[in-house]
């Protein structure tokens, strides 16, 4: 018997629908951050109800550059936003619909009774953009997976697929065959698994790694380290980065701009996206959010990709009724504490920091109460496992270091003393701690508050501010840089499962010393690791509680200081009918947005 993809996910997704309604704004003046609400849901529905006008060029002001244009490498919200415009995945989402729908796939995946085989049929008539110009086959998706497991591409979320037969434990040198991925014919791809995790594996087929890559075109690029495919990406979606006859991306100027034009080989009848716009120009590294927000609000044909600063956010919520939308991001902002660097190798020090820091001050620096609630644990509202973790109240008095939003000196002192610091504060011994933050607001403001908070607790801190696009790739994700505190950290769901907000950033197996490391705290706690493994193999009906248990284990280890369950505020010009991607990127959906 073959089980339906949708039925297997229904339990999790029905919970998710209650609180998602927009991930990463239009007509709302609501500042609600309730765990049961869905910021932006009504506004997104209203925007979708407006028949989009075909044509026009949209200008997006972006606070940073993409991390990568290569779908096998990107793992950053802005990178996702661009990917959804230029690439097609096996499965995807549409705004306000929180269960996966077939994109390249021709229907739901077939999952075997033993949960160890997942089979996907592909649509016919879908082609690569120029200069490849041929029909996409299952072999292109097999190659996309395999290259993502190589050193040359180094896909950062490959651990979601470690149940594949033949999955390489370490990154391969060059693209190698994975025996668990087979292609019986050009329209069929089959995944054989070593563990009964078919439901979760199928859920993960919404990720960018499933975007097809033509081997004959990319092979020579993927032989280089790093791969140069990022500069020569071939589109499959409704838009493409402007390129030359050989495929080089002439429309991408690193740190400056991205020019998206229509993919001439895109066939609307095969896609789930309307793609109203003729072209999209993105100005990257528009680092002054105050200036950028005002330009968008007062201009035409413009959108902003980042939260506006606090003063403009307050004005939007209280005075301006029609040019923003707030969407629940399904994740949190936090300060990481590197557990391999003293004194953060001591869990009591980490508890003391969480207890003592004024997290409301951190949230205020990012925009205040309008941007979302202060966390009481690590699974955000709307995901299965949130209610099982105590919801808004959290795990209770046992975790007293989580109780205060403004900092509790007595509780903080208790844990500092337990760590051996008799004064109730850190004694400042040891080398100066390196803290990394973004050089543009609101990240810059948060980092400066974080530095002050750590110094009040007795730490000596050296704050280094860098461009947002290098915060992760060049610093916080690079263990060799010995970053003690990443002050501009955030993590958001990859799809509607609590595993996506716990495993990637807290599992010891997720530590990548070669770079691209998302476990910023480098937490490798046996109790946490064991709880995560139980969550991974849990049956569908047991997953919410299993991940709540893993959440509790992480809360006991305190690897990071979470200060907001994020809502993203998106700003648009008055003549733009903005539709938000409320599933993955938490940004404007470029393929549903139109000009009025």
């Amino acid at each position: 018997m073959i089980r339906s993809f949708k039925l297997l996910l229904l339990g999790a997704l029905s919970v998710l629908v209650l609180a998602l309604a927009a991930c990463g704004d239009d007509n709302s003046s609501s500042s609600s951050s309730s765990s049961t609400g869905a910021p932006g849901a009504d506004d997104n529905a209203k925007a979708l109800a407006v028949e989009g006008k075909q044509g026009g060029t949209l200008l997006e002001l972006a606070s940073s550059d993409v991390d990568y244009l290569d779908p096998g490498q990107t793992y950053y919200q802005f990178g996702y936003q661009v990917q959804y415009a230029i690439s097609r995945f096996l499965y995807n989402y549409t705004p306000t619909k929180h269960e996966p729908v077939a994109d390249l796939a021709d229907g739901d995946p077939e999952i075997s009774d033993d949960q160890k085989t997942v089979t996907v049929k592909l649509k016919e008539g879908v082609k690569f953009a120029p200069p490849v110009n041929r029909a996409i086959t299952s072999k292109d998706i097999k190659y996309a997976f395999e290259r993502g497991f190589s050193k040359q591409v180094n896909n950062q979320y490959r651990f979601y697929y470690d149940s594949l037969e033949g999955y390489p434990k370490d990154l391969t040198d060059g693209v190698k065959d994975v025996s668990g991925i087979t292609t019986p014919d050009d329209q069929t791809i089959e995944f054989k698994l070593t563990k009964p995790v078919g439901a979760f594996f199928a859920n993960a087929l919404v990720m960018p790694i499933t975007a097809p890559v033509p081997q004959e075109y990319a092979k020579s690029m993927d032989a280089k380290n790093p791969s140069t495919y990022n500069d020569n990406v071939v589109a499959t979606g409704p838009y493409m980065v402007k390129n030359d006859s050989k495929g080089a991306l002439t429309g991408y100027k690193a740190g400056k701009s991205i020019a998206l034009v229509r993919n001439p080989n895109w066939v609307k009848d095969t896609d789930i996206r309307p793609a109203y716009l003729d072209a999209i120009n993105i100005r990257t590294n528009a680092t002054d959010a105050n200036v950028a927000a005002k330009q968008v609000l007062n201009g035409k044909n413009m959108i902003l990709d980042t939260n506006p600063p606090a003063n403009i956010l307050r004005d939007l919520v209280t005075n301006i009724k029609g040019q923003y939308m707030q969407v629940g991001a399904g994740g949190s902002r936090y300060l990481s504490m590197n557990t391999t660097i003293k004194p953060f190798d001591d869990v009591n020090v980490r508890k003391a920091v969480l207890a003592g820091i004024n997290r409301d001050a951190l949230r205020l620096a990012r925009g205040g109460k309008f941007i979302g609630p202060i966390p009481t644990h690590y699974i955000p509202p709307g995901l299965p496992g949130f209610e099982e973790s105590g919801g808004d109240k959290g795990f209770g008095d046992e975790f007293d270091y989580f109780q205060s939003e403004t900092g509790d000196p007595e509780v903080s002192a208790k844990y500092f003393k337990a760590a051996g610091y008799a004064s109730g504060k850190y004694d400042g011994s040891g080398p100066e701690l390196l803290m990394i933050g973004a050089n543009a607001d609101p990240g810059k403001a948060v980092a400066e508050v974080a530095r002050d908070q750590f110094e009040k607790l007795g730490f000596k801190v050296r704050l280094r501010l860098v461009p947002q696009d290098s915060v992760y790739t060049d610093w916080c994700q690079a263990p060799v840089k010995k970053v003690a505190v990443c002050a501009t950290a955030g993590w958001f769901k990859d799809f509607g499962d609590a595993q996506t907000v716990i495993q990637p950033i807290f599992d010891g197996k997720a530590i990548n010393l070669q770079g691209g490391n998302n476990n910023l705290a480098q937490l490798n706690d046996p109790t946490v690791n064991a709880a995560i493994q139980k969550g991974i193999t849990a049956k569908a009906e047991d997953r919410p509680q299993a991940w709540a248990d893993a959440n509790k284990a992480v809360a006991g280890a305190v690897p990071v200081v979470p200060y907001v369950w994020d809502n993203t505020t998106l700003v648009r010009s008055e003549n733009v009918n903005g539709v938000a991607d409320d599933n993955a990127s938490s940004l404007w959906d470029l393929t549903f947005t139109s000009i009025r």
Side-chain angles (χ1 to χ4, degrees):
M1 169 185 162
I2 300 299
R3 301 186 187 183
S4 164
F5 180 46
K6 293 179 181 177
L7 287 175
L8 281 166
L9 299 178
L10 184 59
L13 289 165
S14 62
V15 177
L16 178 62
V17 168
L18 293 176
L20 265 180
C23 191
D25 311 306
D26 190 317
N27 234 350
S28 173
S29 60
S30 170
S31 61
S32 171
S33 57
S34 167
S35 63
T36 58
D42 291 341
D43 294 330
N44 227 19
K46 289 176 183 176
L48 283 166
V50 175
E51 185 175 353
K53 179 183 176 183
Q54 198 71 39
T57 298
L58 184 73
L59 173 62
E60 176 172 36
L61 300 185
S63 60
S64 65
D65 201 353
V66 293
D67 55 346
Y68 299 101
L69 289 168
D70 183 344
Q73 292 183 288
T74 187
Y75 203 28
Y76 178 36
Q77 284 174 288
F78 181 34
Y80 271 39
Q81 182 194 39
V82 175
Q83 281 303 315
Y84 290 139
I86 67 173
S87 296
R88 296 185 66 171
F89 312 147
L90 285 177
Y91 295 90
N92 215 318
Y93 295 97
T94 58
T96 72
K97 185 175 177 62
H98 303 294
E99 60 181 60
V101 295
D103 188 355
L104 281 177
D106 189 15
D108 294 342
E110 297 174 352
I111 305 170
S112 62
D113 281 349
D114 64 2
Q115 297 283 297
K116 289 187 175 182
T117 302
V118 177
T119 304
V120 178
K121 300 288 186 179
L122 304 184
K123 289 175 182 171
E124 296 186 11
V126 183
K127 296 174 66 176
F128 285 108
V132 175
N133 296 313
R134 67 163 172 81
I136 293 165
T137 75
S138 55
K139 293 180 177 62
D140 300 314
I141 296 167
K142 174 179 169 66
Y143 180 74
F145 270 90
E146 291 169 345
R147 67 188 293 273
F149 301 151
S150 71
K151 293 177 182 178
Q152 288 72 17
V153 176
N154 192 7
N155 186 283
Q156 295 178 45
Y157 41 83
R158 59 188 177 277
F159 51 82
Y160 285 146
Y161 310 102
D162 63 0
S163 58
L164 278 167
E165 288 183 6
Y167 176 85
K169 185 180 297 185
D170 299 312
L171 291 170
T172 60
D173 187 8
V175 181
K176 307 296 184 185
D177 178 71
V178 176
S179 60
I181 307 175
T182 58
T183 54
D185 57 57
D186 283 349
Q187 305 306 124
T188 306
I189 187 164
E190 190 172 82
F191 302 96
K192 293 187 179 298
L193 312 177
T194 59
K195 296 179 286 188
V197 293
F200 179 77
F201 187 92
N203 203 357
L205 296 179
V206 297
M207 301 293 283
I209 195 174
T210 69
V213 176
Q215 182 175 3
E216 76 279 10
Y217 174 82
K219 184 176 181 179
S220 61
M221 304 173 199
D222 290 340
K224 299 174 183 177
N225 195 4
S227 168
T228 58
Y229 183 67
N230 186 70
D231 301 318
N232 303 271
V233 168
V234 180
T236 49
Y239 300 100
M240 56 185 278
V241 181
K242 189 182 295 184
N243 63 15
D244 63 20
S245 60
K246 294 183 179 179
L249 302 184
T250 59
Y252 178 53
K253 309 295 182 186
K256 295 182 179 180
S257 62
I258 305 171
L260 302 183
V261 296
R262 281 203 170 275
N263 170 6
N265 293 339
W266 180 67
V267 179
K268 184 175 183 178
D269 292 345
T270 68
D271 207 332
I272 56 178
R273 293 158 286 200
Y276 298 114
L277 301 163
D278 286 338
I280 303 156
N281 293 326
I282 302 172
R283 188 189 306 163
T284 59
N285 289 338
T287 54
D288 191 327
N290 187 61
V291 171
K294 289 177 180 177
Q295 287 177 328
V296 171
L297 287 170
N298 296 322
K300 291 184 177 181
N301 298 18
M302 298 174 69
I303 57 173
L304 185 67
D305 89 318
T306 188
N307 279 307
N311 62 312
I312 291 181
L313 179 57
R314 282 193 297 271
D315 195 36
L316 283 168
V317 171
T318 56
N319 298 317
I320 301 174
K321 303 301 182 183
Q323 291 183 240
Y324 83 101
M325 187 185 296
Q326 241 179 10
V327 297
S332 60
R333 307 276 178 179
Y334 57 86
L335 314 176
S336 66
M337 294 178 285
N338 190 330
T339 61
T340 70
I341 294 177
K342 291 184 178 299
F344 298 139
D345 58 338
D346 188 326
V347 67
N348 284 312
V349 170
R350 302 197 299 271
K351 290 177 179 178
V353 169
L354 176 53
I357 277 186
N358 186 336
R359 293 186 289 156
D360 189 51
L362 293 168
R363 182 178 66 166
L364 183 62
R366 192 160 185 91
K369 65 180 182 180
F370 298 118
I371 69 170
I374 293 175
T376 52
H377 49 83
Y378 295 109
I379 294 179
L383 287 182
F386 173 77
E387 294 298 341
E388 290 80 1
S389 298
D392 293 320
K393 294 181 179 180
F395 293 111
D397 294 341
E398 177 186 354
F399 297 85
D400 54 354
Y401 44 87
F402 253 113
Q403 300 303 310
S404 176
E405 295 183 349
T406 57
D408 188 323
E410 290 187 8
V411 175
S412 180
K414 179 181 77 171
Y415 287 106
F416 270 127
K417 290 175 181 178
Y421 302 102
S423 69
K425 287 189 176 182
Y426 183 61
D427 63 14
S429 61
E432 202 173 39
L433 297 174
L434 174 61
M435 177 184 289
I436 295 295
N439 65 358
D441 286 332
K444 178 176 180 287
V446 171
E448 289 169 344
V449 171
R451 174 196 58 201
D452 295 345
Q453 291 287 313
F454 272 89
E455 288 178 343
K456 286 180 181 178
L457 294 174
F459 297 93
K460 293 185 293 185
V461 176
R462 176 166 62 93
L463 173 60
R464 179 165 182 169
L465 300 175
V466 301
Q468 178 63 60
D469 51 298
S470 67
V471 165
Y472 294 105
T473 53
D474 294 336
W475 290 96
C476 295
Q477 289 179 320
V480 69
K481 296 292 184 68
K482 302 294 182 182
V483 175
V485 178
C486 188
T488 315
W491 191 265
F492 306 93
K493 69 184 187 304
D494 288 322
F495 44 89
D497 193 297
Q499 182 172 339
T500 70
V501 295
I502 297 291
Q503 184 192 9
I505 54 175
F506 301 128
D507 190 350
K509 291 183 178 180
I511 297 172
N512 185 353
L513 298 179
Q514 300 174 63
N517 174 54
N518 292 313
N519 184 342
L520 303 184
Q522 295 184 58
L523 181 69
N524 193 10
D525 182 285
T527 301
V528 172
N529 294 345
I532 286 174
Q533 288 306 305
K534 288 182 179 178
I536 290 170
T537 57
K539 296 179 180 178
E541 62 271 21
D542 299 329
R543 290 182 70 79
Q545 185 59 55
W547 284 105
D549 293 343
N551 183 24
K552 188 172 184 179
V554 175
V558 201
V560 305
V561 177
Y563 64 88
V564 65
W565 276 322
D566 215 43
N567 293 331
T568 300
T569 301
L570 303 175
V571 181
R572 62 170 178 81
S573 296
E574 191 173 10
N575 73 324
V576 173
N577 187 51
V579 176
D581 167 19
D582 52 3
N583 287 291
S585 76
S586 305
L587 302 175
W588 292 117
D589 189 322
L590 301 175
T591 67
F592 280 84
T593 291
S594 60
I595 295 171
R596 292 176 176 169

